[in-house]
Amino acid sequence: MKKANLEIAYRIHCLRTESGISMEELAHDVGVSGKSTINEWEKGRAVPRGKNLKRLAERLSVQPDFILFGSFKHYVAGLLYETLREESDQELTNAARNYANVSVRPDQAKMIEFNPEKVGAMYDFDQLKMALLTKDIFQIEFAPVVEYVTHSFTAVSDYRAVNKEIISRSIARLRLLTKQINETLIGRSNRITKFIAENLGKEDSFVANDSLEDFLKNTLTMPMYEDLRAKSRREQIEYYFQAKFTGLSERYLQDLSSLLKKYQSSLNKLKR
């Protein structure tokens, strides 16, 4: 059973019970054959369509689109997720990927959950998972985009009529967020971190405190370097300095991480 059908079922159930209407009453008012049809809708085994959907929405005092998609904010979030997941809009996908590249480091990536609008228990259905599924496994926070796009529209009677505008405004917002984050300390540090992480070589603790002479004369005689000993002197020297470079890069990343923690701590103190 599709998750969308279950969400529709939950909304119908909540709207009906919040309104104090029995299944029999709702079936009579909508003009369907008994409470069994309402029960099928509330179990997610069937979805109201056409005239039935319109009459159901009128009786429950909501728009038909609310029954099908939830709040407009929920709809916007779902549309962005589906568009990115299917990569049917390359411009939006590229804008989102650029935003991810400057806002989330791979080691910080996490699944962000987005809460649709709630009015009491009526809209307390499952949270909509928001994630950009890329080969780099970047998962990004879309709440700022969804909030902006949602509030940039006035009352919408037909959600699907504004799909293109939603995507257009989302692209513009993602580009702006990318530019803003790029200009911050976090943005610059993330770009540096990403570049270094992608170019790190193999770490070698034995090389860390060795001079080149000690490495070639003593360390290289250890059993673990048997394959390296069979290579040319040039390749041995290349290995030594690559390992040194990796150690230097690792220390730099640790120092950068420490600096960012102090930066964040200073900002948090301003909020108190």
Side-chain angles (χ1 to χ4, degrees):
M1 189 178 297
K2 294 181 179 179
K3 182 180 178 183
N5 287 4
L6 293 176
E7 290 183 350
I8 292 171
Y10 190 81
R11 282 191 287 275
I12 294 173
H13 173 76
C14 288
L15 289 167
R16 180 182 64 78
T17 55
E18 289 284 327
S19 300
I21 307 171
S22 69
M23 286 188 181
E24 290 85 352
E25 289 177 292
L26 187 58
H28 177 269
D29 294 344
V30 174
V32 294
S33 57
K35 73 173 189 178
S36 61
T37 300
I38 305 300
N39 186 58
E40 288 291 294
W41 292 346
E42 293 192 6
K43 295 293 185 182
R45 291 193 286 261
V47 175
R49 304 287 184 190
K51 293 181 180 179
N52 286 344
L53 174 62
K54 184 177 180 181
R55 287 196 290 260
L56 177 65
E58 288 175 352
R59 183 62 184 87
L60 297 175
S61 302
V62 295
Q63 297 174 11
D65 274 352
F66 179 81
I67 292 176
L68 296 179
F69 306 112
S71 68
F72 185 59
K73 183 186 291 186
H74 190 164
Y75 178 75
V76 170
L79 177 62
L80 291 183
Y81 172 75
E82 288 301 321
T83 303
L84 289 166
R85 186 176 64 84
E86 296 171 1
E87 295 199 14
S88 57
D89 190 304
Q90 197 61 47
E91 189 177 9
L92 177 59
T93 302
N94 289 340
R97 187 172 285 124
N98 289 336
Y99 174 47
N101 285 341
V102 297
S103 64
V104 180
R105 293 209 324 254
D107 62 320
Q108 296 172 328
K110 60 180 180 179
M111 177 65 80
I112 302 296
E113 293 184 330
F114 174 77
N115 277 316
E117 288 176 329
K118 295 181 179 180
V119 181
M122 185 179 295
Y123 309 126
D124 190 20
F125 40 82
D126 288 342
Q127 295 177 325
L128 179 63
K129 303 288 186 182
M130 294 299 297
L132 170 62
L133 306 178
T134 70
K135 293 180 181 178
D136 296 324
I137 321 180
F138 277 116
Q139 296 174 312
I140 63 180
E141 169 66 270
F142 270 107
V145 181
V146 175
E147 288 288 341
Y148 173 80
V149 173
T150 302
H151 292 298
S152 66
F153 286 90
T154 54
V156 178
S157 58
D158 184 355
Y159 294 0
R160 287 162 291 190
V162 292
N163 278 5
K164 290 183 179 179
E165 187 67 18
I166 288 173
I167 293 174
S168 175
R169 296 190 191 191
S170 299
I171 292 172
R173 193 62 176 175
L174 284 166
R175 283 176 176 161
L176 177 61
L177 288 172
T178 298
K179 182 179 179 182
Q180 290 174 340
I181 296 173
N182 258 319
E183 295 170 351
T184 66
L185 175 63
I186 298 296
R188 292 198 299 274
S189 64
N190 281 350
R191 290 198 302 279
I192 292 171
T193 299
K194 183 173 183 290
F195 176 80
I196 292 177
E198 288 175 348
N199 289 278
L200 280 180
K202 182 180 178 181
E203 187 175 7
D204 189 335
S205 58
F206 290 102
V207 175
N209 299 313
D210 271 358
S211 66
L212 177 60
E213 291 74 16
D214 286 338
F215 173 73
L216 295 174
K217 184 177 180 180
N218 301 313
T219 308
L220 198 57
T221 62
M222 297 172 65
M224 62 183 294
Y225 294 109
E226 181 179 355
D227 290 341
L228 184 59
R229 284 199 300 273
K231 296 184 178 181
S232 68
R233 183 64 84 190
R234 181 184 182 86
E235 289 174 305
Q236 293 168 357
I237 293 174
E238 176 73 18
Y239 176 91
Y240 171 83
F241 281 102
Q242 284 283 5
K244 283 286 189 181
F245 172 78
T246 297
L248 182 65
S249 299
E250 290 284 5
R251 291 194 296 276
Y252 174 80
L253 291 179
Q254 291 172 6
D255 289 344
L256 180 58
S257 177
S258 176
L259 177 68
L260 291 177
K261 287 178 181 178
K262 292 178 182 178
Y263 166 70
Q264 193 62 55
S265 175
S266 299
L267 292 182
N268 290 338
K269 289 178 181 178
L270 292 176
K271 300 176 183 179
R272 295 172 185 171

